[in-house]
Amino acid sequence: MPIMDAGTDAELAVAAAQAGAAVVRGMYGTQLARFEKSAGDFATAADLEAERVILDLLRTARPDDAVTGEESGRTGADDTERMWLVDPLCGTLNYAVRNMLVAVNVALRVGSDITAAASADPFTEEVFWTDGERAYVRAGGVDGKLTPSSDSRLVDVNLDPPFPNGPGFRAVRLLADAEFAERFQPRVVSTTLAVAWVAAGRRAAYVTDGHLRDSVHFAGGIALCQAAGCVVTGIHGQPLHTGAGGLVVAADQETHTALLQMLGNQVSSDR
């Protein structure tokens, strides 16, 4: 079990994610006001309250840092290299219909690197976290090292928009790929908690489209997977956040290679 200084950025990320998770858990099942955003997207009162609690904690502990919240946008100095990325409730639609598959994500970017991150499951009360070097899950106050595994053969495919690489690439088309169906078992949970599950060995892989640099949704999960030793690239196997973007994160190289071949078949079939 790691020995963590209570004043470290990693411990602050854990504490912030736990604070947000407590709000999400406490408001679950209640009548929640909805606040429309764009293209059918919305936030609930739980999103806003969880973000307020998280941001209050971060600003108190690190008053000179900037913060980007899913609901409130960016605040803080423009010239700082330290930026907290906060997604107070990833899986809002799930939550609104009383589905417990949600996450609370907090990550710190220093320069171009994510140096601390935490992804909390409000209902199991687990927190997946990294100090930028190793990845752990905290449950009942005890930390255990995250160990990726492809044994489950479960692959989560994100079907939520936007789809910047369509029509040449659409993650949904993996579900109709005969080789994919033979080798893997698809899952669609509609929350980035599933990215953390790859690091934890509960998913073999995760695939999504999108431009994900500084994403409040994905920054924490990507950092967890990198620290745990997963294979993490863009959708064409390129370095993350370059070219077409997107994300393929796999528990091991064999799984990653197989998925890239299947994704490459999509491009070939469109030519």
Side-chain angles (χ1 to χ4, degrees), residues 55 110 118 162 166 169 204 271:
L55 267 56
V110 179
F169 166 79
R271 290 176 179 170

Side-chain angles (χ1 to χ4, degrees), residues 155-157 174 179-180 183-184 204-207 235 248-251 253-265:
V155 175
D156 236 286
V157 181
L174 270 176
E179 185 180 358
F180 181 85
R183 179 163 185 160
F184 299 116
Y206 184 97
V207 178
I235 55 172
V248 179
V249 54
Q253 188 63 60
E254 182 181 1
T255 300
H256 186 264
T257 299
L259 285 169
L260 286 186
Q261 177 63 47
M262 296 170 199
L263 294 174
N265 291 341

